[in-house]
Amino acid sequence: MKAITSKYKYLSFLLFFTVSNVTVNASVISFNKGKDGVTCVLEKGLMKVKICMDNMVEVKYTELPLFLDKPSLVIINDWKIIPNFTVAENSTEIIITTATLNIIVNKQSNSIKYTDLKGNVILSEDELQGKTMISATIAGIDTYNCTSKFNSPADESLYGLGCHPEDSLSINYKGRNQELAIKYMTGAIPVLLSTKGYGLMWDNYSASSFKGAEEGNTKFKYESESGNMVDYYFIYGPSFDKIIASYRNATGNAPMFPKWSFGLFQSQDRYKSQVEVLSVKDKYRNNKIPVDVIVQDWFYWEPNVIGSHVMWKERYPDPKVMVDELHKANIHAMISIWPIFSKGTPTYNQMAHSGGMTDILWDNAMTHILDGYYDAHSAQARQLYWKQAKDSLIGRYGWDAWWVDQCEPDNGNNLDLRRKSHFAIGRGIDYMNTYSLMHSTGLYDNWRKDIPGKRAFFLIRQAFAGQQRNAATLWSSDITCTWNAYKNQIPQGINACASGIPYWTSDIGGYHFHWSAPDWSSPANRELFTRWFQFGIFSPIFRIHGKGERALFSDNWDAPMKSILLKYDNLRYRLLPYIYSLSWKVTNEGYTIMRSLAFDFRNDSAIKSIPDQYMFGPAFLVNPVTESMYSFSNGKNIKKTRKVYLPKSADWYDFWTGKLIHGGKTIDAAVPIETLPLYIKAGSIVPMGPYLQYATEKVDPIEIRVYPGSDAEFILYEDENDTYNYEQGKYTTIAMNWNETEKTLTIKNRKGEFPGMLKDRTFRIAWVSTKNGTGIEPASNAETIKYSGTEIKIKK
């Protein structure tokens, strides 16, 4: 009996020891109200609750005796305007109240609960492990693991966390985990949106993870391998649009892209000469296929080395003439420039001798030379990098856009070397995820300073929180030319945009097939490319890239396929008034174009785990076809349909037929190879331009399609297309409203002006039905309206 008792005492001690080493939450000893929040002195350490906005709170927690200096690379708002808040307490709690929130601190555990003003719980930290710091040694480096754990009810759904191109799991992070460490083929944006109406931003830059199925799927947590404090932001919506807008208010708004960037990008791995680039231009223009950008991918420097910033003269005798010829054809030019240097070049020597190189090396996939990364965390190195690239390439030849490749940094699987590296800002282990953020910061800031009349556009392989402010479009890296890879792109694009990055794209068709070009002339690959191209039309940025010829004029495509591709290319260009106006909402309102269904139908439980449907702006429900139906021997027997859920809070028009369908049900949508299932929400206004060859052609007349069934509004935005004068108010907006009860469309007074604006224009009003205003072709029965800027009312 004595032995049993001793054993019991030992097990009890072991249990207590284990829990006490995990459960390190400390009681609040005292607290002080400051001008921007409340600081709590704990039994061990400190906690600060900072009121950033009425609906945004920063929580910092440390077990150290003081908060060490930690400048945020993500948050750029200096919070000069401090919202009003009150502080009260009782025997067990400290209650901080803003105009929209209660933030309730448990004195015993320091755990925090967020409620609305009626006391309804929005989110709460776990009481035992809400915030923890645990000593750790990683790669021989002494540090602290930092964690926050939150309660998660069964009916919650979670979205965001960036783009993970090869991930094939659920779009909903409730009940699943996700690594958050930027490296080749996986990203990290530690921003989370919940259907409970809140968002979280985890402000830690070390390799991290999200654990979404803790304690029987009742909790989730953020976990970072290194830090000197827990630091996160809570944002209340409850709408996703308000959460994202508030997040961008804190981390920086996305600037306007040039209008041409919403047209088609034609790219290939790779064009090898000036003659080849100009031949692509001629084939598009001579065949009257709309296109706006031709891209020069890597190894234009060969036989020189990476980082030399040289276009090899034998293959590119006059790059400026090449770019000028593209411009004459109203085509813009993008070039790939990497943050990597091979030894022995003047550019490398300048960077190395000034202390701007890191010890992180990339095994060059083409030469197998170990090439080095510059230190993007050094302001001086960023300036030198920009100066070298601008003087040698961007400014010298007049390139319009910059492809920012290989910016993880990518050194294979040797993450310990990245941890042990040292940047100008600090230890590599503490800045594993911010290389691309700081690299793009240098590019954007210097572009704005040195190329003031041309909007910046950076196509970038990795993005972190806040990178939208640097004119970054995230692309999903080197994905394969397979149906599985294509299928994965849709939820990854949706979640990337739910993370606050408004512009995302994939390589239409995929980048490689076992690192070679697939046979694009095969029926199977033609089908894959067609379906991917249809999806690309409704991606924020629309671009073809990869190994093997796949331009729209390619002989790899037969005549029927070319006809389908041209049809969808034309649809993209007809929709440019809609898309460009939405891009203004991105900049002006913090809007999201590629929208998880939870943005608009958060309370519809049926949408929570649908991975392959999304809204494109306020009107279009997009439903890509991700299964092969034609390329099997029994293809004739495969039913050409896909399941489409129509959210229940609206009725829906079939874009192709005009048929009106009630929401709240799943239908079998017909999907012959020429058809992407598209449904327009009843109560929508969709402006469509004429057929174009390039984005900045004169857009007149504009067809205004009105989808009755509910009140609707849309704001048509126009400006100079490619300057920053919009920041000084040089743009116009025309608000349009449909009143369902009165059956009246009101085109309101035009607001604003800009040089070269179209003062008098024509609108063609199409009331959509099964007999009118369907598909890509202009409506056959439209009422023509002359508009000079003064309000007009049109009765149906």
Side-chain angles (χ1 to χ4, degrees):
M1 183 69 180
K2 185 176 181 180
I4 294 174
T5 302
S6 298
K7 183 177 181 181
Y8 173 77
K9 288 181 177 178
Y10 172 73
L11 289 173
S12 298
F13 168 79
L14 200 63
L15 178 62
F16 172 80
F17 179 82
T18 303
V19 171
S20 64
N21 271 270
V22 174
T23 310
V24 294
N25 280 11
S27 300
V28 177
I29 296 175
S30 63
F31 70 92
N32 176 63
K33 179 185 176 184
K35 65 178 183 178
D36 62 353
V38 172
T39 300
C40 298
V41 178
L42 309 177
E43 284 182 322
K44 183 179 181 182
L46 302 167
M47 180 174 74
K48 179 168 183 180
V49 179
K50 179 177 180 178
I51 309 302
C52 303
M53 297 189 288
D54 288 334
N55 67 323
M56 180 183 290
V57 176
E58 181 189 18
V59 175
K60 296 199 296 187
Y61 163 89
T62 185
E63 292 188 13
L64 304 176
L66 76 165
F67 285 114
L68 299 182
D69 185 39
K70 176 188 168 285
S72 179
L73 302 183
V74 173
I75 304 296
I76 62 170
N77 193 319
D78 56 11
W79 310 118
K80 289 181 179 178
I81 299 174
I82 300 171
N84 293 325
F85 65 96
T86 61
V87 179
E89 69 169 319
N90 55 41
S91 60
T92 60
E93 296 172 330
I94 305 165
I95 302 101
I96 308 165
T97 301
T98 74
T100 59
L101 285 174
N102 292 318
I103 304 102
I104 302 169
V105 179
N106 183 307
K107 290 182 178 180
Q108 181 61 36
S109 65
N110 80 61
S111 65
I112 297 175
K113 177 170 62 178
Y114 304 90
T115 78
D116 63 21
L117 296 182
K118 294 181 180 179
N120 299 307
V121 176
I122 305 164
L123 175 68
S124 61
E125 295 178 351
D126 179 66
E127 283 207 20
L128 293 178
Q129 299 174 343
K131 299 172 289 291
T132 64
M133 290 174 61
I134 299 175
S135 298
T137 301
I138 300 170
I141 303 165
D142 292 332
T143 188
Y144 293 96
N145 295 157
C146 297
T147 302
S148 280
K149 183 183 284 189
F150 301 89
N151 296 308
S152 179
D155 61 345
E156 181 173 38
S157 296
L158 303 167
Y159 306 96
L161 300 182
C163 180
H164 308 274
E166 296 180 308
D167 182 83
S168 59
L169 299 176
S170 169
I171 189 173
N172 181 357
Y173 280 104
K174 172 70 171 175
R176 59 163 296 197
N177 300 337
Q178 179 62 63
E179 182 182 21
L180 296 174
I182 290 180
K183 56 187 177 181
Y184 181 58
M185 293 304 292
T186 192
I189 303 175
V191 175
L192 192 72
L193 302 185
S194 166
T195 52
K196 293 301 179 183
Y198 68 85
L200 291 172
M201 200 283 285
W202 181 247
D203 200 15
N204 183 293
Y205 316 138
S206 69
S208 304
S209 61
F210 174 82
K211 303 290 181 62
E214 298 293 287
E215 299 183 34
N217 204 14
T218 63
K219 305 177 193 298
F220 66 80
K221 68 178 179 181
Y222 281 102
E223 193 170 63
S224 291
E225 69 177 20
S226 184
N228 57 40
M229 69 180 73
V230 168
D231 190 353
Y232 74 83
Y233 289 77
F234 169 88
I235 310 168
Y236 180 53
S239 74
F240 278 19
D241 280 316
K242 184 171 182 180
I243 296 167
I244 292 298
S246 300
Y247 162 78
R248 294 208 195 122
N249 186 13
T251 64
N253 288 315
M256 288 284 289
F257 281 158
K259 191 174 185 181
W260 56 257
S261 67
F262 296 101
L264 175 63
F265 285 64
Q266 174 57 50
S267 182
Q268 184 175 310
D269 182 4
R270 57 190 162 93
Y271 299 131
K272 296 183 179 180
S273 70
Q274 181 170 330
V275 169
E276 186 176 14
V277 168
L278 293 179
S279 73
V280 174
K281 176 261 297 182
D282 290 339
K283 289 174 182 176
Y284 267 96
R285 287 291 177 252
N286 292 343
N287 286 286
K288 298 191 181 304
I289 303 170
V291 72
D292 264 275
V293 190
I294 293 176
V295 182
Q296 177 62 64
D297 198 2
W298 64 340
F299 271 80
Y300 49 82
W301 52 79
E302 192 179 35
N304 214 318
V305 292
I306 194 167
S308 59
H309 300 330
V310 169
M311 300 196 76
W312 196 251
K313 195 169 184 62
E314 289 183 11
R315 292 184 290 116
Y316 300 89
D318 196 331
K320 188 175 189 310
V321 167
M322 178 181 73
V323 172
D324 288 346
E325 287 299 309
L326 294 178
H327 289 166
K328 289 177 185 177
N330 295 294
I331 293 175
H332 291 79
M334 181 165 76
I335 188 169
S336 175
I337 311 176
W338 297 38
I340 299 170
F341 294 85
S342 196
K343 289 182 178 180
T345 62
T347 48
Y348 173 87
N349 290 337
Q350 290 173 0
M351 192 66 76
H353 293 169
S354 63
M357 293 300 296
T358 72
D359 58 358
I360 300 173
L361 303 176
W362 172 58
D363 183 358
N364 190 311
M366 300 285 280
T367 66
H368 294 293
I369 295 171
L370 294 177
D371 298 321
Y373 280 87
Y374 90 102
D375 185 357
H377 289 90
S378 162
Q380 176 178 284
R382 291 195 300 271
Q383 289 295 113
L384 179 55
Y385 178 89
W386 166 260
K387 178 72 173 169
Q388 292 173 339
K390 179 184 76 73
D391 289 354
S392 299
L393 291 170
I394 295 293
R396 184 177 182 183
Y397 302 134
W399 294 92
D400 303 297
W402 190 318
W403 188 349
V404 186
D405 208 335
Q406 199 85 3
C407 56
E408 286 80 9
D410 177 18
N411 69 335
N413 292 319
N414 193 355
L415 297 187
D416 278 355
L417 179 61
R418 286 174 58 188
R419 292 181 173 101
K420 293 175 183 178
S421 188
H422 283 269
F423 302 135
I425 197 171
R427 305 183 303 181
I429 193 172
D430 295 319
Y431 295 93
M432 288 281 284
N433 283 336
T434 49
Y435 190 93
S436 63
L437 173 62
M438 301 315 296
H439 180 45
S440 62
T441 295
L443 301 182
Y444 179 70
D445 289 350
N446 281 291
W447 185 290
R448 290 299 306 265
K449 177 170 60 72
D450 292 347
I451 311 177
K454 184 185 289 189
R455 294 180 195 170
F457 180 94
F458 301 111
L459 179 66
I460 199 157
R461 196 164 91 176
Q462 291 294 351
F464 193 66
Q467 209 156 320
Q468 75 282 343
R469 66 178 179 255
N470 294 335
T473 289
L474 174 61
W475 112 89
S476 57
S477 195
D478 297 343
I479 50 179
T480 60
C481 305
T482 62
W483 284 95
N484 283 339
Y486 163 46
K487 188 173 185 177
N488 292 342
Q489 296 317 293
I490 298 148
Q492 292 308 314
I494 294 168
N495 268 331
C497 293
S499 309
I501 294 287
Y503 297 112
W504 175 92
T505 184
S506 67
D507 294 347
I508 293 177
Y511 175 63
H512 71 92
F513 186 71
H514 302 301
W515 296 105
S516 297
D519 177 7
W520 285 113
S521 67
S522 72
N525 286 326
R526 285 177 175 176
E527 182 184 4
L528 172 65
F529 186 85
T530 300
R531 293 306 195 186
W532 209 321
F533 191 79
Q534 291 168 346
F535 165 59
I537 299 299
F538 291 94
S539 295
I541 301 298
F542 172 40
R543 46 179 286 281
I544 297 169
H545 178 67
K547 293 182 180 292
E549 174 60 78
R550 61 183 91 172
L552 300 194
F553 55 73
S554 173
D555 290 337
N556 285 321
W557 316 137
D558 61 15
M561 179 175 170
K562 285 182 178 179
S563 177
I564 294 170
L565 297 178
L566 180 59
K567 164 184 165 181
Y568 280 91
D569 195 18
N570 280 326
L571 176 58
R572 175 74 177 202
Y573 277 81
R574 286 211 68 201
L575 286 173
L576 282 176
Y578 176 80
I579 295 168
Y580 195 58
S581 296
L582 295 181
S583 78
W584 165 245
K585 283 172 67 71
V586 168
T587 298
N588 191 51
E589 301 175 16
Y591 189 72
T592 299
I593 298 175
M594 187 176 188
R595 303 166 67 79
S596 157
L597 295 180
F599 272 84
D600 301 290
F601 312 104
R602 182 168 56 91
N603 296 318
D604 187 341
S605 61
I607 64 95
K608 292 186 176 180
S609 294
I610 296 176
D612 56 358
Q613 296 181 226
Y614 60 95
M615 294 296 292
F616 190 75
F620 283 85
L621 176 64
V622 183
N623 313 277
V625 180
T626 60
E627 303 291 340
S628 177
M629 297 179 179
Y630 288 87
S631 304
F632 298 104
S633 57
N634 65 337
K636 292 182 179 180
N637 299 323
I638 296 175
K639 192 176 181 182
K640 307 302 189 293
T641 62
R642 70 147 287 174
K643 299 289 185 184
V644 171
Y645 176 70
L646 301 175
K648 64 184 179 183
S649 63
D651 291 336
W652 300 89
Y653 286 85
D654 186 318
F655 175 76
W656 304 107
T657 68
K659 180 182 178 182
L660 184 62
I661 307 170
H662 295 304
K665 60 187 174 185
T666 298
I667 64 171
D668 289 317
V671 291
I673 189 64
E674 69 274 12
T675 300
L676 166 67
L678 296 171
Y679 296 88
I680 310 298
K681 188 171 68 172
S684 291
I685 297 171
V686 177
M688 297 180 71
Y691 287 107
L692 304 173
Q693 288 295 295
Y694 56 92
T696 55
E697 277 192 87
K698 178 182 176 182
V699 183
D700 192 65
I702 290 180
E703 180 177 311
I704 306 298
R705 292 192 182 179
V706 179
Y707 294 83
S710 183
D711 291 347
E713 61 180 16
F714 192 85
I715 296 177
L716 182 68
Y717 171 87
E718 294 179 306
D719 62 16
E720 295 172 290
N721 300 325
D722 194 9
T723 72
Y724 286 101
N725 290 338
Y726 71 87
E727 294 179 342
Q728 279 72 53
K730 294 182 180 180
Y731 61 86
T732 65
T733 58
I734 302 173
M736 303 177 185
N737 297 92
W738 165 252
N739 186 301
E740 178 69 18
T741 302
E742 299 177 1
K743 305 299 181 189
T744 300
L745 175 68
T746 303
I747 303 176
K748 295 192 173 182
N749 292 332
R750 180 173 51 220
K751 294 182 179 179
E753 60 181 6
F754 61 89
M757 61 181 278
L758 193 63
K759 294 183 179 180
D760 300 308
R761 68 181 322 140
T762 302
F763 290 125
R764 299 180 69 250
I765 313 302
W767 317 104
V768 175
S769 68
T770 56
K771 298 179 180 180
N772 190 51
T774 62
I776 294 170
E777 296 297 325
S780 58
N781 183 17
E783 185 175 348
T784 299
I785 301 295
K786 297 296 183 180
Y787 177 80
S788 299
T790 303
E791 181 177 298
I792 298 175
K793 291 182 180 290
I794 306 104
K795 293 280 286 186
K796 181 180 176 183

